Amino acid sequence: MSDKKRYLPFLLSAGVIIIDQITKALIVHFIPEGSIGISLFGDFLWICHVRNDAVAFSLGAGFPEWIKYILFIGLPVLLMIALSYAIVAHRFDEELSSAERWCIAGIVGGGIGNLIDRIFRSLRVVDWISTNNYGVFGMERFPTYNIADAAVVVSVILLVIIVLFSGRRKKIR
């Protein structure tokens, strides 16, 4: 893989970050926190404004602030650095396909999008997409999320599919 191609997946990271931050800025500007701005398809899709001071499914909401700084900013920064390194490092050329690098770049973009919120919005991530779950998994509504969250989830799902169905056999060392 040429050095130039090695950095191309970061275009996806940048795109996710830009779209995520623009949509969050629009939500913050136009929809008061804690309210629904738009309801579409009955009550299936709400465009709303909520703030999450924890991680997925509000895990860690009750943690002391100093622990949140470590777990919600410090560790994710290290993880984003490690994943970014995996995208560009020559040492992973045999382990990672181009598609896997693009999936990792989607995770990096989503991770950085939410890190920006945690750093510049007092550990509170702007979430704005709420969908009706119709009681599936015991939830009336799926937890509210944003573009960064969606990018991470979709990228992880695609990465798992690629790894499972790639047909590559890893050598046991």
Side-chain angles (χ1 to χ4, degrees):
M1 174 182 291
S2 72
D3 283 340
K4 191 180 273 189
K5 283 187 177 181
R6 186 173 302 281
Y7 290 91
L8 276 178
F10 289 115
L11 291 175
L12 176 59
S13 300
V16 168
I17 294 165
I18 290 166
I19 293 168
D20 178 64
Q21 289 301 305
I22 288 171
T23 56
K24 288 174 179 174
L26 291 170
I27 294 301
V28 168
H29 182 75
F30 289 109
I31 301 174
E33 186 175 340
S35 67
I36 301 165
I38 302 168
S39 182
L40 301 168
F41 313 111
D43 71 340
F44 174 72
L45 175 64
W46 292 347
I47 305 301
C48 56
H49 181 177
V50 297
R51 299 287 178 109
N52 186 356
D53 66 345
V55 291
F57 305 104
S58 296
L59 295 173
F63 288 174
E65 195 168 287
W66 68 273
I67 291 177
K68 286 183 179 182
Y69 277 104
I70 293 168
L71 294 178
F72 301 165
I73 294 177
L75 289 178
V77 164
L78 295 175
L79 180 61
M80 295 305 105
I81 291 169
L83 291 174
S84 296
Y85 175 74
I87 292 170
V88 298
H90 291 280
R91 69 182 296 182
F92 295 111
D93 284 350
E94 290 184 29
E95 286 85 11
L96 294 174
S97 69
S98 178
E100 290 166 332
R101 290 174 196 268
W102 281 87
C103 289
I104 294 169
I107 296 166
V108 169
I112 291 172
N114 281 336
L115 271 170
I116 290 169
D117 280 21
R118 293 192 194 289
I119 293 168
F120 296 105
R121 290 191 168 110
S122 304
L123 292 170
R124 298 173 73 223
V125 174
V126 175
D127 287 333
W128 57 274
I129 304 166
S130 176
T131 55
N132 194 325
N133 217 34
Y134 301 105
V136 176
F137 305 119
M139 296 183 289
E140 192 55 38
R141 297 201 73 78
F142 192 78
T144 309
Y145 59 99
N146 57 48
I147 297 295
D149 297 335
V152 170
V153 169
V154 169
S155 296
V156 167
I157 290 169
L158 289 174
L159 184 60
V160 168
I161 290 169
I162 290 166
V163 169
L164 288 176
F165 296 104
S166 67
R168 289 191 320 238
R169 300 286 183 234
K170 303 285 184 188
K171 294 180 182 176
I172 299 174
R173 297 177 191 179

